[in-house]
C-alpha cells in the first residue's frame, strides 16, 4: 500500500508526468520507456515471490557500485566490504548486468503534448545523445552549463531581461544505454508562444554561431 501511495503521488507531480511522457516517446522499444514508479495495476499485481525473486536475481555484489570519499584507507574499505558482502553470496566469476546502447528513432522532429489540469506549463526541447563514455560527453556537459548560466544566452535574456519565463534550463542526462540533452523553460502565463519561440531562437543561434565570449 505504501508503494501504491507513492505511485499515486507521482501522478500528481507535473514534472514526473512530463518526464515519463518524454521517456515513452524517446525510448520507444526500450525498457526506459516504462514509468520508473510503475503503474498501480503493475504494483498491485506483484506477489511476494515476484519481489523476492527480483531481489535475488539483481541485488548481488557483482551489480554493486560503492563510492567512498574521505580520509580512509582503500585496503581497509575493501576488506570491510568483502566481509560485509560475503553473506550475500555471488558468482565465482562475476559479470555485471549491462545494458546495450540504444539509438532512438530520430526520423525528423516529433512533437509531444501532455494535456493536464496543472496551472503551470512547461516546454522542453530534447535531443538524443550518446553515453557518458562518448568522447563528446564532456563537451555536452560544458554546453549545458553555458546555456543555463545566469549570464548565458538562455536564462539571462528570457528570465531576467524579457521576463517571459519563470525558469529556464539546459542539462545533459546520461543513462547506461544513452542520454538526452534538454533545453526548456516554464513560461509565464500568457507568454507560452513567446517563450517557445525565444527558446528555439536561442538553440538555432547557438547552432549557427557557436559559443561566444
Amino acid at each position: 500500500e505504501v508503494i501504491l501511495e507513492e505511485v499515486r503521488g507521482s501522478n500528481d507531480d507535473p514534472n514526473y508526468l512530463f518526464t515519463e511522457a518524454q521517456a515513452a516517446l524517446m525510448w520507444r522499444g526500450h525498457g526506459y520507456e516504462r514509468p520508473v514508479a510503475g503503474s498501480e495495476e503493475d504494483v498491485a499485481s506483484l506477489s511476494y515471490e515476484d519481489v523476492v525473486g527480483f531481489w535475488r536475481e539483481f541485488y548481488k555484489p557483482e551489480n554493486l557500485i560503492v563510492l567512498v570519499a574521505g580520509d580512509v584507507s582503500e585496503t581497509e574499505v575493501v576488506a570491510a566490504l568483502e566481509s560485509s558482502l560475503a553473506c550475500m553470496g555471488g558468482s565465482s566469476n562475476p559479470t555485471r548486468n549491462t545494458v546495450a546502447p540504444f539509438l532512438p528513432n530520430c526520423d525528423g522532429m516529433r512533437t509531444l503534448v501532455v494535456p493536464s489540469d496543472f496551472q503551470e506549463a512547461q516546454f522542453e526541447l530534447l535531443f538524443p545523445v550518446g553515453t557518458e563514455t562518448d568522447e563528446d560527453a564532456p563537451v555536452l556537459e560544458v554546453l549545458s552549463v553555458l546555456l543555463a548560466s545566469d549570464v548565458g544566452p538562455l536564462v539571462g535574456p528570457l528570465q531576467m531581461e524579457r521576463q517571459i519565463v519563470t525558469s529556464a534550463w539546459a542539462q545533459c542526462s546520461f543513462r547506461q544505454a544513452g542520454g538526452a540533452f534538454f533545453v526548456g523553460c516554464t513560461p509565464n502565463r500568457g507568454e507560452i508562444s513567446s517563450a517557445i519561440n525565444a527558446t528555439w531562437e536561442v538553440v538555432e543561434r547557438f547552432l549557427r554561431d557557436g559559443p561566444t565570449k
Side-chain angles (χ1 to χ4, degrees):
E1 188 60 35
V2 173
I3 304 300
L4 287 173
E5 285 300 322
E6 290 182 1
V7 173
R8 298 184 188 110
S10 297
N11 292 331
D12 292 330
D13 181 348
N15 292 325
Y16 175 82
L17 294 179
F18 192 47
T19 300
E20 292 304 316
Q22 286 179 332
L25 177 66
M26 177 176 172
W27 299 103
R28 188 173 298 162
H30 189 278
Y32 288 169
E33 71 176 344
R34 294 192 288 271
V36 173
S39 66
E40 292 187 48
E41 293 76 15
D42 290 338
V43 174
S45 68
L46 291 174
S47 66
Y48 173 82
E49 290 74 19
D50 292 329
V51 176
V52 172
F54 182 89
W55 182 82
R56 287 176 175 167
E57 182 175 357
F58 294 104
Y59 281 66
K60 302 176 181 179
E62 53 262 39
N63 287 331
L64 180 67
I65 297 176
V66 179
L67 303 178
V68 180
D71 185 16
V72 295
S73 164
E74 179 181 351
T75 302
E76 293 177 355
V77 170
V78 171
L81 287 172
E82 289 178 342
S83 174
S84 300
L85 298 176
C87 61
M88 294 180 64
S91 170
S92 58
N93 184 26
T95 56
R96 289 191 63 236
N97 292 319
T98 58
V99 178
F102 180 81
L103 182 63
N105 181 11
C106 300
D107 295 334
M109 185 174 70
R110 288 177 287 175
T111 303
L112 173 68
V113 178
V114 184
S116 74
D117 296 329
F118 299 115
Q119 295 183 358
E120 194 174 67
Q122 287 189 1
F123 168 73
E124 200 162 52
L125 297 170
L126 185 154
F127 304 91
V129 297
T131 67
E132 60 184 1
T133 58
D134 290 353
E135 61 180 12
D136 58 353
V139 178
L140 292 171
E141 293 280 14
V142 172
L143 175 59
S144 68
V145 174
L146 289 175
L147 286 173
S149 167
D150 288 349
V151 296
L154 182 65
V155 177
L158 274 66
Q159 184 175 347
M160 299 181 179
E161 296 174 14
R162 298 178 59 184
Q163 297 183 357
I164 58 177
V165 304
T166 57
S167 62
W169 59 86
Q171 68 179 62
C172 198
S173 174
F174 294 109
R175 303 175 78 171
Q176 196 171 354
F181 191 90
F182 304 87
V183 180
C185 65
T186 302
N188 284 326
R189 183 166 297 183
E191 298 285 2
I192 293 179
S193 295
S194 299
I196 290 175
N197 291 333
T199 304
W200 188 247
E201 287 171 4
V202 170
V203 173
E204 286 187 322
R205 185 168 63 251
F206 205 91
L207 291 173
R208 183 183 65 247
D209 303 333
T212 63
K213 294 182 181 181

